[in-house]
Amino acid sequence: MLPAWILPERWWAPLWRGAARLPLLTRQQAIRRTATGIAAALGDVGAAETRDIARNLRAAIYELRFQDLRAWRPGGWLPKLSLEGEGHLMEALKGGKGAVLWVSPTVFNSLPTKIALHAKGYKVSHLSSPTHGYSETKFGVDVLNRVRCIPEDRYLAERIVFNSEAPTTAMRKMMRALKSGEVVSIVAANTEGFEMVEGPIFGGRLPVAVGAPRLAALTGAPLLPTFVARDPALGFRVVIEPPIPLDPKQPADERTVAAASEYLRRSEAWVRRYPEQWRAWSKWRPRA
């Protein structure tokens, strides 16, 4: 906690990028495995560059812990950030059915998104996994993960935690929030309780949790892809894109697959621009 509180934020990324290159702190086998997947997906990137991407991804995950701890300092964490595409959200909310944000599975997608939306006055209910944070053990869920969740909760109207023993509870809470004209956010990689479908990206396939399009189709709320990235010049960018169309005439399964495919199509440009921040590399598979 002490380094996270006292070191200037501009030092964090260089510090952890250096640490990620130390064999004692980073499993090199895991780096090589991730780099191999990146090379296969992107195709036009050399071996040295893919290893750098894999190491920088690991460094970003380490850096995320500094952000969590800085958020406990008096005054909280005040990053440089921007909310882009807010007009799409404002237009969506005019329909009176709320809006579903389908958030990218990137390293920095959590706290900056909540801070940016809260600062603009939006009431956001976020679907969360019980294991959101650092650990899946009972002690981790009860104690350790609160280090991340408590600061995030300052910026939420409600954290909706999925319970596998009562799966409809989370759905009812999200539907209630949307009926009140509020915003519900769901991360595309959140697999808790939601069906997965495979969609095309980078010439291969990637499993995507499709709770967001199913919820949007059920309630009539617009489905807005939301991409989050840390840019060296712009700070943390929270970018809300135009809604993904959901054709009510399509069968539900076909509509869901089409939404996932469109989401991944839009994702490609973001992943190419910020490849070291995408947490889904390990799940990408080449087309059979």
Side-chain angles (χ1 to χ4, degrees), residues 32-86:
R32 288 193 294 270
R33 185 167 56 247
T34 301
T36 298
I38 294 171
L42 297 182
D44 56 352
V45 178
E49 186 175 352
T50 57
R51 284 194 297 272
D52 277 344
I53 292 172
R55 292 189 185 103
N56 291 342
L57 173 60
R58 176 52 53 184
I61 294 171
Y62 289 148
E63 184 184 347
L64 180 60
R65 297 169 187 173
F66 263 29
Q67 296 175 5
D68 294 336
L69 294 172
R70 175 64 72 91
W72 284 84
R73 195 175 73 168
W77 179 49
L78 302 173
K80 178 182 178 182
L81 52 78
S82 61
L83 179 61
E84 304 172 35
E86 185 184 3

Side-chain angles (χ1 to χ4, degrees), residues 92 95-103 127 170-179 182-186 194 209-225 242-250 252 255-256 258-260 263:
K97 296 182 179 180
V100 178
L101 301 185
W102 206 4
V103 183
L127 180 67
M171 180 64 75
R172 288 199 301 269
K173 289 182 177 180
M174 290 188 291
M175 293 177 67
R176 184 166 62 243
L178 293 173
K179 188 176 181 179
E182 299 175 7
V183 177
V184 169
S185 61
I186 303 175
F194 288 116
V210 291
R214 289 203 182 279
L215 175 65
L218 184 64
T219 61
L223 177 64
L224 304 173
I244 291 176
L246 299 172
D247 187 351
K249 297 179 181 179
Q250 276 186 305
R255 182 174 57 230
T256 300
Y263 175 82

Side-chain angles (χ1 to χ4, degrees), residues 82-91 224 238-242:
S82 61
L83 179 61
E84 304 172 35
E86 185 184 3
H88 299 306
L89 178 56
M90 296 172 67
E91 185 64 28
L224 304 173
V238 180
V239 184
I240 301 173
E241 292 200 346

Side-chain angles (χ1 to χ4, degrees), residues 257-268:
V257 171
S261 297
E262 175 62 13
Y263 175 82
L264 291 175
R265 185 190 69 79
R266 299 194 195 185
S267 297
E268 282 206 17

Side-chain angles (χ1 to χ4, degrees), residues 155-195:
Y155 306 101
L156 293 175
E158 182 179 11
R159 179 184 296 275
I160 300 173
V161 180
F162 178 80
N163 182 349
S164 59
E165 296 180 359
T168 60
T169 301
M171 180 64 75
R172 288 199 301 269
K173 289 182 177 180
M174 290 188 291
M175 293 177 67
R176 184 166 62 243
L178 293 173
K179 188 176 181 179
S180 298
E182 299 175 7
V183 177
V184 169
S185 61
I186 303 175
V187 178
N190 188 347
T191 60
E192 289 292 332
F194 288 116
E195 177 190 354

